[in-house]
Amino acid sequence: MQLTLQILAGPETGRRIFLKSGQVASFGRTEWSDFAFPYDHRLADVHFSIETTDSAVTLSDLSKGHGVQIDGEKMTTCQLRSGQKIKAGSMIFAIGTEAPFETSGAGPISVQSQSKQEPAPDLAKKLCETVELSEPARDMLDDTIEVLPFLDKLAAADLLVDALRVLATWPGKRKAVWWGASCVESACSSAAEAQSPLLAAARAWAQDPTEDNRRQALDVAETADSQLPACWLARAAGWSGGSLAPPDVPPVPPDEGLTAQALTGALLLAAVFSDPRQGAANYRQFIELGKELAAVKLEWEA
């Protein structure tokens, strides 16, 4: 198994670390670690290790009380899966895992670079027929530009909210909600306890989009504080289909675009939730994570 870790928070946001099958690496604050982040004083000297084998990627907590969280849940030892996130100290890492190459001696690669996982060449103009864009953003559309280059153009022009709206629609509802959960969790650590059941309900629906899971997401959102970004994320899952009315009354189907609208609202709130000054930086982080997740197949995807 080969592993990619992308840093989602801190001075090295965007950096990727690659581990190949058979490698063991440690992460922490000091040079006792294979990968050291001395600027993060919340990290232990050696905080955690990751071991890759042909069949699994295993994380071990070495922090002696500091703790490691996987998708918000504290872990001591666990096997990692693509799409999960590691939080250690103030560091957040997005996980990508791949089967090793058949050819002997091949090294690790970025998750975006395997052709079997590249998204179909979607045309941005067709996708954006149902996306509410600003006039400057719509002026960038033509008949040939694909979604990824269009997102890059929007980001370069600082049309970051437009880019988020495109990403809330592009990868499909399930993957978009999964992406939104990762974004909200990374930007809103100060409200982790309050948002945990909302994030769990949204992720449960994304992994297994049953009617029961959709209803559960809708129910937890209805009783939550609407100022919490994760409340809108759970609503995005709850508004994905079915009926907005109680089960014992005639169905009221949601508008097809409600999931993307609620998800966009969750992201806009999340970006400024902890520190409004970090809004634009968080938007860019969300966009990069969305592009990465759109280009890979997560473990729960058929």
Side-chain angles (χ1 to χ4, degrees):
M1 192 72 69
Q2 295 172 155
L3 176 75
T4 303
L5 291 177
Q6 181 176 12
I7 298 175
L8 299 182
E12 297 182 75
T13 295
R15 174 188 172 189
R16 286 179 172 83
I17 297 169
F18 304 95
L19 302 181
K20 64 183 179 180
S21 183
Q23 188 172 358
V24 181
S26 59
F27 299 74
R29 183 172 52 83
T30 69
E31 293 184 359
W32 292 106
S33 301
D34 297 307
F35 294 92
F37 308 94
Y39 48 81
D40 188 349
H41 296 290
R42 295 185 179 181
L43 287 174
D45 289 354
V46 181
H47 203 104
F48 64 92
S49 68
I50 293 178
E51 179 180 6
T52 61
T53 67
D54 287 344
S55 59
V57 177
T58 304
L59 178 143
S60 299
D61 179 7
L62 307 175
S63 66
K64 298 181 179 179
H66 289 72
V68 178
Q69 294 182 12
I70 309 297
D71 286 343
E73 184 176 353
K74 192 170 183 179
M75 296 287 187
T76 54
T77 302
C78 68
Q79 291 194 355
L80 300 176
R81 303 188 306 274
S82 185
Q84 290 181 314
K85 286 195 313 174
I86 302 170
K87 186 175 190 303
S90 301
M91 304 292 296
I92 300 174
F93 304 86
I95 303 166
T97 59
E98 300 297 334
F101 285 122
E102 297 294 334
T103 305
S104 174
I109 62 170
S110 167
V111 290
Q112 296 106 315
S113 63
Q114 289 197 9
S115 60
K116 68 178 182 179
Q117 291 188 320
E118 286 296 324
D122 300 324
L123 293 179
K125 189 171 185 179
K126 181 173 179 59
L127 174 73
C128 292
E129 288 175 355
T130 59
V131 179
E132 182 183 349
L133 295 178
S134 66
E135 283 302 316
R138 199 159 289 280
D139 289 342
M140 293 182 180
L141 289 169
D142 60 40
D143 292 332
T144 61
I145 191 168
E146 296 175 9
V147 176
L148 277 173
F150 182 55
L151 289 168
D152 290 339
K153 286 184 68 174
L154 292 174
D158 287 331
L159 297 174
L160 305 179
V161 174
D162 290 295
L164 292 177
R165 286 176 173 149
V166 172
L167 277 166
T169 302
W170 179 34
K173 294 178 181 179
R174 292 175 64 192
K175 204 165 196 176
V177 168
W178 186 268
W179 162 62
S182 297
C183 294
V184 169
E185 191 173 53
S186 67
C188 306
S189 57
S190 60
E193 183 175 351
Q195 298 199 112
S196 180
L198 296 157
L199 290 167
R203 283 195 172 107
W205 173 83
Q207 290 181 296
D208 186 15
T210 63
E211 178 64 9
D212 285 346
N213 284 342
R214 186 192 70 82
R215 283 280 180 189
Q216 177 63 22
L218 197 60
D219 289 345
V220 297
E222 288 305 309
T223 58
D225 182 356
S226 62
Q227 298 300 310
L228 293 173
C231 176
W232 291 95
L233 185 70
R235 285 176 175 168
W239 292 346
S240 60
S243 173
L244 300 181
D248 55 346
V249 301
V252 180
D255 183 84
E256 182 62 26
L258 269 183
T259 291
Q261 292 174 26
L263 176 54
T264 302
L267 297 174
L268 297 181
L269 280 173
V272 298
F273 189 82
S274 296
D275 185 352
R277 296 170 298 179
Q278 293 298 311
N282 283 331
Y283 289 159
R284 292 188 180 278
Q285 177 180 311
F286 297 167
I287 292 165
E288 289 305 310
L289 179 58
K291 287 163 55 181
E292 180 177 344
L293 287 181
V296 301
K297 181 168 284 188
L298 302 177
E299 187 172 290
W300 46 261
E301 290 186 283

